[in-house]
Amino acid sequence: MEKLEYHLMEDGDRISVLYAYPSVSKEEVLMRFACDYFVRGKDVFECVHVQADPPMHKIYVKRSEEEKVLDDRLRFSPSWQGIRVEVRHFDERWSRYPVVHRYQFHHAQDALLRLLSSLHFIDGQWWKTTSTEVDENRYVYVIYAVPVLKEGGGKR
């Protein structure tokens, strides 16, 4: 098993350990490394750097000035069993982003492939990833995406 720490980069040169996970799978470390944002409790953090130094891995984050948690209630079910990934329609004018598709994976490699994909074909529509996050409040990975238009204005 691997170890993972989130380090908060604060004003100036201050860096402090924010959260520590003493025993996580290498696959979970990889999926978290693939995420641009980290949500826990009432806080949203933006990933700045990742550091692989087996068995210890570190993700350096800063508090997001722009993103807010709309629902910070912890879920006691479902658990992290299986890997849930949501694709949500992102639009910077909105505060809530509707779910376009939900995936349930049994293998981390399948979820990681989805998180690292920049394009997704869902229900006859192409979507382009804008960012990804791990949401510990809801036990889900999230892909934010925008619809991709074809040349000439049609959907592709």
Side-chain angles (χ1 to χ4, degrees):
M1 293 304 272
E2 306 293 303
K3 298 175 184 176
L4 176 65
E5 291 179 346
Y6 279 89
H7 289 253
L8 180 62
M9 299 177 71
E10 301 178 80
D11 293 333
D13 293 335
R14 291 188 17 223
I15 298 175
S16 58
V17 176
L18 188 62
Y19 299 108
Y21 303 81
S23 180
V24 298
S25 69
K26 188 178 289 185
E27 291 81 6
E28 183 172 349
V29 171
L30 289 167
M31 287 187 298
R32 287 172 179 258
F33 271 22
C35 292
D36 303 305
Y37 293 93
F38 168 59
V39 176
R40 183 166 171 170
K42 296 181 184 303
D43 298 310
V44 178
F45 301 95
E46 187 173 349
C47 177
V48 178
H49 304 289
V50 295
Q51 176 186 347
D53 230 349
M56 175 57 77
H57 307 282
K58 297 176 183 177
I59 300 175
Y60 295 88
V61 297
K62 64 180 181 181
R63 288 189 197 281
S64 177
E65 302 289 327
E66 300 170 9
E67 304 302 324
K68 303 287 182 237
V69 175
L70 296 177
D71 181 3
D72 63 349
R73 294 173 293 170
L74 295 175
R75 307 289 193 269
F76 295 101
S77 179
S79 68
W80 279 107
Q81 292 183 348
I83 302 161
R84 295 183 318 132
V85 177
E86 295 175 345
V87 178
R88 290 183 169 265
H89 185 170
F90 175 77
D91 188 311
E92 61 188 24
R93 299 169 296 177
W94 304 340
S95 61
R96 294 189 184 269
Y97 311 110
V99 174
V100 173
H101 193 75
R102 287 186 173 94
Y103 295 99
Q104 180 78 30
F105 297 106
H106 298 290
H107 302 288
Q109 289 177 340
D110 295 328
L112 184 58
L113 283 172
R114 186 62 62 184
L115 286 170
L116 292 172
S117 295
S118 59
L119 290 174
H120 312 272
F121 191 70
I122 301 169
D123 295 331
Q125 170 69 53
W126 285 101
W127 295 84
K128 182 180 178 185
T129 299
T130 60
S131 65
T132 55
E133 79 180 12
V134 55
D135 183 337
E136 285 194 358
N137 293 347
R138 299 184 311 112
Y139 301 102
V140 66
Y141 291 89
V142 181
I143 298 167
Y144 294 95
V146 294
V148 178
L149 299 178
K150 223 199 269 195
E151 289 178 8
K155 300 227 173 163
R156 181 173 170 189

